[in-house]
Amino acid sequence: MPELPAPSPLLHVADEHHGSTVVVRVEGEVDLSTGPRLEQHLQHAVAGIRPPEPLVVDLSGVAFIGSCGLALLLRLHEAAENKGSSLHIVAGQRAVTRPVEVVGLTDTLRLYATVEDALAHAH
């Protein structure tokens, strides 16, 4: 069994269930030190979704997202699409929306201001 990355004080991840939709709440910083742990958690979450239900990732508690975090979101988006589902990202704050805009991912990634908005577009 592969060794799990050590928990980081810079990142907190928790799952919530809203009906049959999983919401993964992420708080802290997404960078090279926290990315592997977050990716492992999110890949497990994608594996558990039942299409056409989306996976909602709530990044409203994220203070920083680096290029590795953006690459992770793209891989997650592709994994969800390949499964017949979708990825809905909650990101109303500039710390997340600005990097997404700067690298030109606004047409690829589905961003929502609140969890409620993301859930409303789930079906």
Side-chain angles (χ1 to χ4, degrees):
M1 180 193 285
E3 188 172 317
L4 296 175
S8 168
L10 300 176
L11 184 74
H12 177 73
V13 183
D15 292 347
E16 296 177 0
H17 295 272
H18 293 258
S20 57
T21 303
V22 175
V23 176
V24 179
R25 291 198 186 267
V26 182
E27 297 176 357
E29 300 177 3
V30 181
D31 57 22
L32 286 172
S33 68
T34 60
R37 179 172 159 247
L38 179 59
E39 181 161 19
Q40 187 172 51
H41 188 101
L42 292 174
Q43 289 296 344
H44 179 55
V46 166
I49 58 176
R50 290 171 294 189
E53 289 294 325
L55 174 62
V56 176
V57 178
D58 181 2
L59 300 180
S60 60
V62 169
F64 172 83
I65 187 165
S67 58
C68 69
L70 295 176
L72 165 58
L73 292 177
L74 280 175
R75 288 190 300 274
L76 197 62
H77 166 77
E78 185 176 305
E81 295 278 323
N82 287 342
K83 192 168 179 176
S85 188
S86 58
L87 174 65
H88 294 198
I89 301 166
V90 177
Q93 77 285 23
R94 192 166 171 78
V96 175
T97 59
R98 182 71 179 139
V100 169
E101 292 166 358
V102 166
V103 297
L105 296 176
T106 54
D107 290 337
T108 304
L109 298 177
R110 294 176 179 97
L111 298 181
Y112 300 90
T114 66
V115 170
E116 291 74 24
D117 287 343
L119 292 171
H121 290 90
H123 301 288

